Structures are given as C-alpha cells and as structure tokens.
Amino acid sequence: MPTKPGPLFLLASEPNIELRRTAARKRTYIAYALAILILILVQLVRAIYLLQDGSHDHPLSATAPPHATDSLYKCRLLQPIARDPSPEFFSRAHSDRYVPGTTPTVIVNATIWTGRADGREILNADVLLDGGLIKKIGSVGRFAAEEYRGASRVDAQGKWVTPGIIDMHSHLGVDSVPKSRGSNDGNSRKGPILPWLRALDALNTHDDSYRLSASGGVTTALVIPGSANAIGGQGVVIKLRPPTDRSPTGMLLENPYETNTTKYDPSKHFRFRQMKHACGENSDRVYSGTRMDTAWAFREAYEKARQIKEAQDDYCVKAMAGQWSGLGSFPEDLHWEALVDVLRGRVKVHTHCYETVDLDDLVRISNEFKFEIAAFHHAHETYLVPDTLKAAYGKPPAAALFATHARFKRESYRGSQFAPRILADAGIKVVLKSDHPVTDSRFLLYEAQLAYYYGLPHNLALSAVTSTPATVLGLDHRVGFIKEGYDADIVLWDSHPLALGATPEQVWIDGVPQVAHPHTVQKPAAYQRLPKTPNFDKETQDALKYEGLPPLSPKAVTHTVVFTNASSVFLRDSQSTTGLKQVASGSANTSDTLSIVAKRGKVVCMGTMASPCVRSALAAEQITLVDLDGGSLAPGLTTFGSPLGLEEIRSEPTTKDGTVLDLLTDRVPKVVGGEGAIIRAEDGLQFGTRDALEAYRTGVTTGIVAPQTTGFLSGVSVAFSLGAEHKLEDGAVLQASGAVHVAIHPRGVPSVSTQIAALRNLLLHDAEGELGQWFDKVQKGDVPLVVDVESADIIATLIRLKSEVEHAHGTRLKLTLFGAHEAHLLAADIRAADIGVILAPARSFPESWETHRILPGPPLTEKSAVRVLLEHGVTVGLGIRVADEAMNTRFDVAWAALEANDTISKEQALALVSTNIEQLLGVERDEHGGDMVATVGGDLAEYSKVVAVISPTRGVVDFL
C-alpha cells in the first residue's frame, strides 16, 4: 500500500499544481483570443473583399442590417484612390464628348504652342483632330492613311495654334447675358454657408456669351456661384460648345454627379468637384457682418464637416469588421457632404479673397481643418504676401488675377499690374481669369497680353490661360495642352497669341469648329513674332517697396528737354479731317532719326541732331536728353464715360462725388434750384486719384467727366488735366463746361417714352433756372447734347426728335450718342442726321437687353461697330464705363485699328480718343493747346512705354 505523503512532499507539490493550473488557463485565454482575432480578420478580409469587388449580391451574416450592403459600398467610396482616370482613358478611341458624324480635321503647317515644358515647347507641325481628340501631332505624311482622306484640311500658313483658353473664374450661364431678372442666378441670399448649392442647377444654356466667348478662343470655363456667401456652393466645369442634347448637363466637361457607373465609377477613380468660397467685403456686406463673423462661419462649417468625416471613418472601421450591433445607418448629411469631401481632398476650393487679412484667415483655417486651397481669386494683395500663400495646408494656392482691373473697392485698392510677374518670381502659379460678365471672357487672352506687357514671362502668360488653370482644376489629363490623346480643344490665331489684338481664325471644341463662317484679318508678318515689351523693373520694385501704393505723381521740369531717336511725330492740325497729322517720320538709330525740342512745356522745333534748332538746344545751360529708341511723339489721349475725376474708390461713398438727384424721380430741394437745377461736374472734381495718375502714366492726359446719375438728367461736363495736383493749379481745369448730359434707358419707371417726353419739353420749350439757360444753349447749337443711350429703337426716336427740334427752332443741334452699342444698325441715318457717336466700351458686349444687337467684329462678323460707323462718315470716339479702364485706352485704339483691316489710318485711330472726343463733347483747343506724349520703343498704339508728357497749358514737361 502506498505510503502517505509527508508534510515535506505536500509543501513541495502544491505550488507545482497551481503553476500547472495557471498555465492551462493562459493557454485557454490565448486560444480564445486567437479565435476572436481570426474571426475579426476573417470578417475584415470579407468586408474588404466586398468593398473592393463592389457587387451588392454577396451574402451577409444574418445579423447584418438591411442597409449593410449600401453602407459598405459608401465606405468603399471613402478609400484612397487615384484621382487620375483609369489607364484606358489615355487609349480611348474617341472622347466621351465626341459628336458622331464630326468630320476629322487636319491643321497643317502650324506653329504650335503645346503648353508643355513649362510653356516653352514650340513645334512646327501638323495636328490631326478626330473623334473629339488630338489624334496625331507631326508631319502630314503620318496622316496619309485611307481613313483620313476625307478630313477637312486647314492650312495654318505658319500661324499659331494653342490649346483652347480656359477661364477659371466665370459666371457664364448663372449671371446670364443679356441680364434679366428671370435669369439672375449667381447668388443665393439664404445664408452665408451654402456648400450644398450647385451652379449646374442654375446653368442657363441660352446665355448669349457662350458663342461670343468661344469666338474669342475660350473653350472651357469654371462656372461658380457669386461671392455673396462665405461658401456659395459648387461650381461646374463646362465646355462652351452647344450641347447636342441642349441641356446644362450636356455642357459638363466631366460630370462629377454622374450616377451611371458605366460612364463614371467613383470607386475606381474620382472626378474633382469645385467649390466657391469668398471672404472680405461682399459676404460681410450682404449679411451685415464683419470679417470675424465670416471667419467664424467658415470654422463652424468646417467643424461640422470634420465631425461628419470622423463619424464616417469610425463607422466604416466597425462596418468593415462586421460589428453591426448598435451601429445604425451610415452617418451622412446631404447639406454637408460636399464640404466633407473637401476634407477628403476631392473638392477643389476656389476662394474669392483680396486682402492680406483675409488671405491669412483662410490660410490658417486651411491648416486648422487640413484642406488644400486650389486658388485665391481676384487676390489683389497676394503679390505682397507670397509666403502667406506658401504657408497654406498642402500646396500653395494659385493666384487667379485680373491683369490691370483694380481699385474698384477698398480691398482691391492696392492691386498692381505688376502682381502677375511678382507672384511668378516668387514661385506662385499665376492664372488670369475674367470673372465674366465683370469683364468679357471673349477677351480673356487680352488679360494675358496685358500681364505679358507688364512683365510676366511669355511662357507663363500663355500658360496662365491654358495649362495652369487646367492643372489647378485637376483637368490637366485632358485639356490645357496640345498632346496626343487630349481633348480636341484647339485655337488657330491670326497672329502671335501675345500680340495685341490676336483673334481666332477658328476654334475647335471636341474637334467641332465653333465659327461657321470666320472673318479673318490679314496682319503684318511682324505680328507672328513675340512682341517686345518695355522694362518695368523699377515700377515692379516700387510696387513692393510701397506696399502696393507707389508714388505716381510725375516729376515736372521747366528747362529744355530734347527727345532724340524718334521714329514718328503726330501733331494737332485743325485743317486735317481728323484734327491730327503725321508731320515727320524717320528710322530709329539712323542718320535721319528725329529729335524734338521742348521748352517750358511747348514743342519749339524738330529735326535731325545736326539741325540748327537741335544744336542750339543742346547748348543750353540746363538740358535733359531723352532717347526714345525709335519711339514717338503724339497728342495726349482723352478719356470720357467713367467717373474718373469724381471718385477714388467706386464702392466707397466717402471717396466719391456721388450721384445727382433726378428731376423725374426725386424732389430736388429749392436751395439747389428745384426743377430748374442743373449740376456741374467741375464742382465735384478730385485730383490726384490713383486711377487718374495710372492713366496719365500711359498717355491719357485729359479727362472729361459728367455728373454721375442713375436717372435722366446728369448735368454739365468738365475737361481737366489728369496730371494736375489740384483745381487751382494752372491748366488743371481745361474747360469748366462742355456739354449737357442726359441718359435714356429702359428701367421700368419712368418709362422710356416719359424720358423722351421730358427731353422733348426741354428742347422745345423754355425751362426755368440754370437748367433753362443751358438748354437754351443746346437749342441754339452752342453746346452739345450728349445722350447716354444703347438701343437702336431709342436712337431712332432721338434722330426724329432732333429733326423736330431743328425744324421748330431753325437751328442745328449738336447731338452725341454715348454707349451706343446698337448704333451700327442706324449708321447711315446717324450720319444723315449729323450725329456723333462715342462707343463705350470700345469692344461691344451685350450686357443688357438694350445692347443685345451688337456687332461683335471678327471672327464672327467682317466689320466692327467702329469700322461701320467710320465707313458711313460718322464722327466716332471711344469711351469707357469703369475708371481703371482709362489706363488701357491706347490699347483699345490699337485693337480698333487692327480689327478694321487697314481701313483706319494711324491718325484716324488716335483721333478716336483725342480730337474726335473733344469735338463731340464741346471741348475747344487750339493747335498748340494740347499735351504731347513721348513714348520709348514704339508709338502709342504699340507695346511702347510712355516716359514723358509735354504740357503747354501747365508749362512743364512731366517725367513719369
């Protein structure tokens, strides 16, 4: 029988038993843990398989809720995927926007700017367009295959071909043209944060601007809501070709809302959406807030989006693991889903933002919530703070700019024409855009030309309206470049794209020609070359040195100045039909080069350097020599039509004269003169405004301005010097009163017929007070009557009224039409009635119904309105509506002359903005009374630089 264990044995064995039990429990726990882990892994792998496979017919566990399949699919869509299209996209046989039946096109003998190699690649080659795509680039021999024998053949004759222009900031179709209450869909006033709104839902396919803008080479546009809201909604990228289905959806370049997965499967790749943000004055004004309120509105909205995003991420981790118990439905909110996608990097954010304070706010918010800003738009102060842009989350935003449009509100006051160059030098991507209809997107290339003129390198200037916006929009896989396999969006230009006035000879969108019967202008061979531009290094440096407000006042001298090496001189001549004549011409840097001597602000003689007058001037005790390097001397230009001289900042009432009370709608106080009152613009003149000085530095030396009105009667205009410091300076006020101004437009109340009745009464009967005195002068033909009018129907009524008044009084009225978009329809009648016309703007735009019958000019029509009126013998001037446009007056003249196809002489062109305007507005000068402008490197109608103004009325030469 076994021996019973002793005490020592018991003491030794009990711990061993306990150890064995502990080890067994551990093994059990490990086994359970492994089993649970394996189960989780199986469920996770199964969920991932379901998500990757994408089908909805796999069986789920009995505990899975009914919405499990749909929720898993939504989770799958959140997984990181490539933004680029599938590989099959680049081997597509035809575009998804291909119009069946479109004839292939071969463009031969072209100079091709491809957009590649940082905008520096230029090919001399042919291009084949077929199936809505760029199929081949190279020698025509490659296109000799049988299938292309029926192709349309276009001989470019060595002219320039570029990618289609891309407008990255447009309101085409939502702020429709012509404007109407029934199609004013640019802004919602339902709250400052509206990310759920979509521009697509308001896109008007009947906007007149599609055809016009396409004729200017614009093939693609980002259409976004306006800037009334901090977050205004989602934009859409459209092609400007009329859709075959006539629908807004048919205009989309890539439909991000497509629900047919055979066309677009968002689980394989995604299409960027575009979102409009805005900060600064607009949203603050609409919602009576401050910048602090707007910044909080952004943060509050993004915090909501962040919470939803994190809830979705947490949900999907559990759903993919099969942990459905208590999970509920997929967390989503249609109001916020687009903003959540911003945080996921799937929406491009475009922010309307001008000032440094606002730029800095958005940069901080982008870092707080970790989303990228694609671009700051308008962005007038970005050039002052490039490092702020570089501090944004992810990549630095691009800057989408106007070339010269600035100072229209306080936050744009420091805008500079040198901003594109400065930003490019700082490594910031530069985009030039239209903000259509603020500026006409038909002439978006003009913005690139202006930016190039002021220093932006040529490759970046062209890229700024093609490849750079394509890249910023996330669409550089199909537009913005000329590459095989890309969309067939191509423009053939009549001259180098950066040459002033470059106009398409044809535009193809998706391989479809957009101009049925293009009218072309033959330009000199020199226009096929990249134009030379002046040096603006000092001005660029000053823009930074003075934080956007460099000194603009000229430096006046009274001593002798000799201008050498001039190629041409134009002087006033009362005997000439234009009031101007070219009195001398020479060749730069040759023995017959011209020199001009000015003393005490007057040109006293001209000749070669060896002429007695010049030799005598060179011996003067004090003299300044100015080498014009083939430049010119010409009369200073005159501007009219904008409030220039009556305002500093358009949107700031305390910086402007304001608007007059209207006799037809307002009660004019007796102290003003009651019903006999008429206002004189001279009393509200402001000198030294930045717009005036900027214009002066570009050769515009005289301003004519009438009192500003939103009604019928404006008042009496004044002519003044843009270079004067104040009203009391000699020569500051050139003519205190010139013409009487009224406006007749359809605006509901009072009716057009009521306005005509008022004018008839003033012209046929005696009125009281000073108003009566001025209209007595009008009746006698002593002063002009200027009528701001657009409609041909109203113009016809004015022609008949003029005849009626002249018959009644036995006098000849001096009548001038201003604006006059539709005057070309009555050109013969206007000439027969001896009526003058000041067109404003110089290039017609059908902004309102009364202007919708414009004559657009090449390539849509053979002739422009300017040409038609001049051919009928009408005295024509060119005006503006916005003050900052005065600085580009010389380019408006050059454009008008180029469009006229050699039917307008240089003297006629210069007269459009000098002697003609003065004549039409009753400003009298003698032959020696006008300013002269000196330019370096060409004349006023070229890419020259204005360096001095010779002012006889002020007795000085102003150096600029």
Side-chain angles (χ1 to χ4, degrees):
M1 112 179 253
T3 306
K4 188 176 181 179
L8 184 60
F9 175 81
L10 290 174
L11 289 172
S13 63
E14 286 177 358
N16 290 335
I17 294 171
E18 187 61 31
L19 286 171
R20 286 196 296 275
R21 289 175 178 170
T22 300
R25 283 196 297 270
K26 286 182 178 180
R27 286 193 295 274
T28 301
Y29 295 153
I30 291 172
Y32 278 126
L34 286 172
I36 292 171
L37 181 60
I38 290 170
L39 181 62
I40 291 173
L41 288 173
V42 168
Q43 292 292 338
L44 183 59
V45 169
R46 180 174 178 274
I48 292 173
Y49 171 73
L50 286 173
L51 292 173
Q52 291 178 341
D53 183 71
S55 61
H56 293 189
D57 56 0
H58 290 278
L60 294 169
S61 67
T63 59
H67 59 75
T69 300
D70 185 58
S71 294
L72 287 173
Y73 177 73
K74 291 177 179 177
C75 288
R76 181 182 175 218
L77 296 181
L78 305 185
Q79 303 307 304
I81 53 176
R83 70 94 172 167
D84 293 321
S86 60
E88 294 80 14
F89 178 87
F90 297 102
S91 59
R92 53 191 176 148
H94 56 77
S95 169
D96 51 343
R97 293 183 47 81
Y98 169 60
V99 179
T102 302
T103 302
T105 298
V106 179
I107 306 171
V108 301
N109 191 26
T111 304
I112 305 171
W113 185 87
T114 68
R116 297 184 293 189
D118 197 28
R120 298 183 183 278
E121 182 181 65
I122 297 172
L123 304 176
N124 295 310
D126 312 323
V127 184
L128 170 65
L129 312 179
D130 185 33
L133 302 175
I134 301 171
K135 280 293 179 70
K136 298 289 183 182
I137 303 172
S139 170
V140 71
R142 298 177 61 193
F143 310 143
E146 180 70 26
E147 59 183 311
Y148 295 122
R149 287 191 175 178
S152 173
R153 187 178 184 275
V154 177
D155 187 353
Q157 300 178 327
K159 295 175 183 176
W160 289 83
V161 168
T162 71
I165 301 298
I166 299 173
D167 188 355
M168 206 176 79
H169 187 128
S170 176
H171 304 292
L172 268 166
V174 293
D175 280 343
S176 295
V177 168
K179 288 182 179 178
S180 67
R181 289 183 180 179
S183 59
N184 183 14
D185 293 312
N187 287 294
S188 170
R189 262 78 172 178
K190 300 300 183 183
I193 303 294
L194 302 170
W196 47 86
L197 300 185
R198 306 183 302 183
L200 176 62
D201 299 326
L203 195 66
N204 175 16
T205 57
H206 303 298
D207 190 323
D208 285 359
S209 290
Y210 294 128
R211 179 180 73 102
L212 293 169
S213 295
S215 76
V218 180
T219 58
T220 302
L222 169 62
V223 177
I224 47 181
S227 53
N229 316 99
I231 301 180
Q234 302 166 49
V236 285
V237 180
I238 64 170
K239 292 281 192 84
L240 270 61
R241 171 177 64 77
T244 54
D245 65 358
R246 298 188 176 94
S247 75
T249 302
M251 300 186 74
L252 298 185
L253 172 52
E254 287 187 344
N255 184 358
Y257 311 114
E258 179 64 66
T259 57
N260 184 343
T261 55
T262 62
K263 293 184 177 180
Y264 166 50
D265 187 350
S267 66
K268 295 180 179 178
H269 67 275
F270 70 88
R271 294 172 173 175
F272 278 114
R273 284 188 282 174
Q274 316 289 329
M275 177 79 73
K276 174 68 178 291
H277 287 15
C279 51
E281 295 182 26
N282 288 13
S283 181
D284 295 348
R285 182 184 68 254
V286 171
Y287 294 101
S288 302
T290 66
R291 283 176 164 80
M292 294 183 289
D293 294 304
T294 301
W296 170 246
F298 277 121
R299 296 181 67 219
E300 185 178 41
Y302 272 107
E303 175 61 16
K304 177 67 174 178
R306 183 190 63 78
Q307 292 173 1
I308 294 174
K309 176 182 178 294
E310 291 181 355
Q312 290 175 349
D313 292 342
D314 292 343
Y315 180 96
C316 289
V317 168
K318 295 178 181 178
M320 290 163 65
Q323 298 175 12
W324 296 105
S325 178
L327 196 55
S329 300
F330 181 80
E332 58 186 340
D333 188 328
L334 193 58
H335 281 86
W336 301 103
E337 58 83 23
L339 215 57
V340 173
D341 263 6
V342 170
L343 299 182
R344 296 192 183 281
R346 299 185 177 199
V347 178
K348 297 281 189 175
V349 173
H350 299 268
T351 305
H352 159 121
C353 216
Y354 291 78
E355 286 191 277
T356 299
V357 59
D358 300 314
L359 299 167
D360 190 59
D361 284 348
L362 264 294
V363 165
R364 282 187 283 102
I365 291 170
S366 79
N367 283 293
E368 180 180 1
F369 294 97
K370 297 180 172 53
F371 66 90
E372 291 189 2
I373 300 170
F376 283 118
H377 291 236
H378 305 320
H380 281 67
E381 291 189 14
T382 49
Y383 74 101
L384 297 174
V385 289
D387 288 341
T388 297
L389 273 63
K390 294 176 182 179
Y393 181 80
K395 295 177 291 187
L401 310 166
F402 296 116
T404 60
H405 185 38
R407 297 172 295 282
F408 46 90
K409 53 183 176 177
R410 194 195 63 82
E411 60 189 4
S412 69
Y413 191 60
R414 293 175 187 266
S416 171
Q417 57 269 43
F418 307 108
R421 170 186 172 176
I422 294 169
L423 285 162
D425 289 346
I428 300 297
K429 288 180 178 175
V430 173
V431 173
L432 293 159
K433 44 74 185 172
S434 73
D435 196 15
H436 183 97
V438 172
T439 65
D440 184 356
S441 63
R442 178 186 174 193
F443 303 110
L444 179 54
L445 184 65
Y446 179 47
E447 297 291 312
Q449 293 165 0
L450 289 173
Y452 168 65
Y453 171 77
Y454 284 112
L456 183 65
H458 65 90
N459 58 312
L460 299 183
L462 275 179
S463 297
V465 292
T466 53
S467 55
T468 303
T471 302
V472 172
L473 291 169
L475 292 167
D476 50 327
H477 58 280
R478 64 183 298 173
V479 295
F481 298 84
I482 295 182
K483 295 174 66 174
E484 293 182 1
Y486 273 53
D487 288 13
D489 297 349
I490 298 287
V491 185
L492 171 62
W493 301 93
D494 66 3
S495 51
H496 191 288
L498 293 178
L500 189 68
T503 300
E505 292 194 347
Q506 186 54 273
V507 180
W508 290 267
I509 302 179
D510 302 320
V512 181
Q514 297 302 297
V515 185
H517 304 288
H519 297 274
T520 60
V521 173
Q522 294 302 314
K523 295 179 178 176
Y527 278 76
Q528 296 299 329
R529 298 190 291 271
L530 180 69
K532 294 181 179 179
T533 57
N535 185 307
F536 287 105
D537 287 349
K538 182 181 184 304
E539 292 86 346
T540 302
Q541 294 164 7
D542 284 350
L544 288 173
K545 178 181 177 180
Y546 294 98
E547 301 241 351
L549 299 176
L552 298 176
S553 296
K555 179 182 177 182
V557 301
T558 58
H559 60 252
T560 299
V561 179
V562 178
F563 298 92
T564 67
N565 201 16
S567 293
S568 62
V569 176
F570 298 86
L571 295 176
R572 292 175 177 269
D573 178 14
S574 60
Q575 303 304 310
S576 168
T577 56
T578 62
L580 302 173
K581 67 177 180 180
Q582 185 171 348
V583 298
S585 63
S587 301
N589 302 307
T590 64
S591 59
D592 63 344
T593 184
L594 295 169
S595 294
I596 301 97
V597 178
K599 293 182 179 180
R600 292 181 292 278
K602 293 183 180 180
V603 174
V604 295
C605 66
M606 65 186 71
T608 65
M609 290 291 285
S611 64
C613 173
V614 175
R615 290 174 60 189
S616 173
L618 292 174
E621 182 176 343
Q622 186 176 10
I623 183 175
T624 298
L625 283 174
V626 180
D627 183 0
L628 297 184
D629 189 24
S632 177
L633 229 64
L637 308 183
T638 299
T639 183
F640 169 71
S642 78
L644 185 69
L646 294 179
E647 70 175 23
E648 181 72 63
I649 304 174
R650 187 198 318 166
S651 65
E652 292 291 335
T654 59
T655 72
K656 54 198 290 188
D657 179 50
T659 56
V660 302
L661 295 172
D662 185 50
L663 288 180
L664 298 186
T665 58
D666 300 317
R667 184 173 181 178
V668 181
K670 186 175 181 180
V671 68
V672 179
E675 292 186 358
I678 189 167
I679 305 303
R680 303 183 189 186
E682 181 196 9
D683 297 333
L685 274 180
Q686 299 179 29
F687 287 84
T689 67
R690 297 196 71 80
D691 281 328
L693 292 174
E694 289 282 12
Y696 193 69
R697 297 172 75 87
T698 63
V700 183
T701 63
T702 300
I704 302 175
V705 65
Q708 299 301 290
T709 181
T710 57
F712 167 69
L713 179 62
S714 168
V716 180
S717 54
V718 61
F720 64 101
S721 169
L722 299 190
E725 292 185 354
H726 55 79
K727 187 183 296 185
L728 301 181
E729 182 181 312
D730 287 343
V733 177
L734 302 172
Q735 188 167 311
S737 57
V740 174
H741 297 253
V742 300
I744 300 179
H745 297 286
R747 50 180 176 264
V749 178
S751 67
V752 169
S753 51
T754 300
Q755 297 170 60
I756 293 291
L759 182 58
R760 177 182 287 110
N761 184 63
L762 288 169
L763 290 172
L764 289 176
H765 306 289
D766 294 335
E768 61 182 74
E770 192 176 1
L771 177 65
Q773 296 171 19
W774 276 103
F775 267 91
D776 181 62
K777 295 178 183 179
V778 171
Q779 293 169 14
K780 294 176 180 178
D782 294 335
V783 300
L785 173 67
V786 181
V787 183
D788 188 331
V789 60
E790 303 286 6
S791 165
D793 299 303
I794 302 176
I795 292 172
T797 299
L798 290 171
I799 293 173
R800 296 183 65 177
L801 178 59
K802 181 176 186 288
S803 176
E804 178 185 351
V805 173
E806 289 175 341
H807 180 74
H809 292 302
T811 58
R812 295 288 289 176
L813 296 186
K814 295 178 180 178
L815 179 60
T816 296
L817 310 176
F818 173 70
H821 273 71
E822 296 186 354
H824 64 94
L825 296 172
L826 300 169
D829 300 283
I830 291 171
R831 175 64 187 93
D834 193 22
I835 296 173
V837 173
I838 300 176
L839 295 170
R843 293 180 292 283
S844 299
F845 178 59
E847 182 177 13
S848 60
W849 185 256
E850 61 179 328
T851 64
H852 77 281
R853 294 175 290 185
I854 66 167
L855 190 66
L860 293 176
T861 61
E862 178 188 2
K863 299 178 181 180
S864 65
V866 176
R867 181 177 173 184
V868 167
L869 290 166
L870 286 175
E871 287 181 349
H872 281 84
V874 177
T875 301
V876 179
L878 299 181
I880 59 175
R881 291 283 188 181
V882 180
D884 63 55
E885 293 174 354
M887 67 184 293
N888 296 325
T889 297
R890 54 192 293 225
F891 297 138
D892 288 340
V893 168
W895 199 303
L898 287 166
E899 278 192 331
N901 207 8
D902 287 333
T903 63
I904 299 178
S905 68
K906 191 148 285 187
E907 290 93 336
Q908 284 178 304
L910 291 173
L912 294 172
V913 287
S914 58
T915 52
N916 285 9
I917 286 188
E918 293 163 5
Q919 174 188 339
L920 294 172
L921 298 178
V923 175
E924 299 177 356
R925 297 202 209 236
D926 59 34
E927 293 183 11
H928 308 290
D931 297 330
M932 296 291 291
V933 172
T935 54
V936 170
D939 61 39
L940 270 174
E942 299 172 333
Y943 277 170
S944 60
K945 184 178 184 179
V946 176
V947 293
V949 175
I950 304 169
S951 178
T953 57
R954 295 170 51 232
V956 299
V957 173
D958 280 335
F959 285 103
L960 308 173

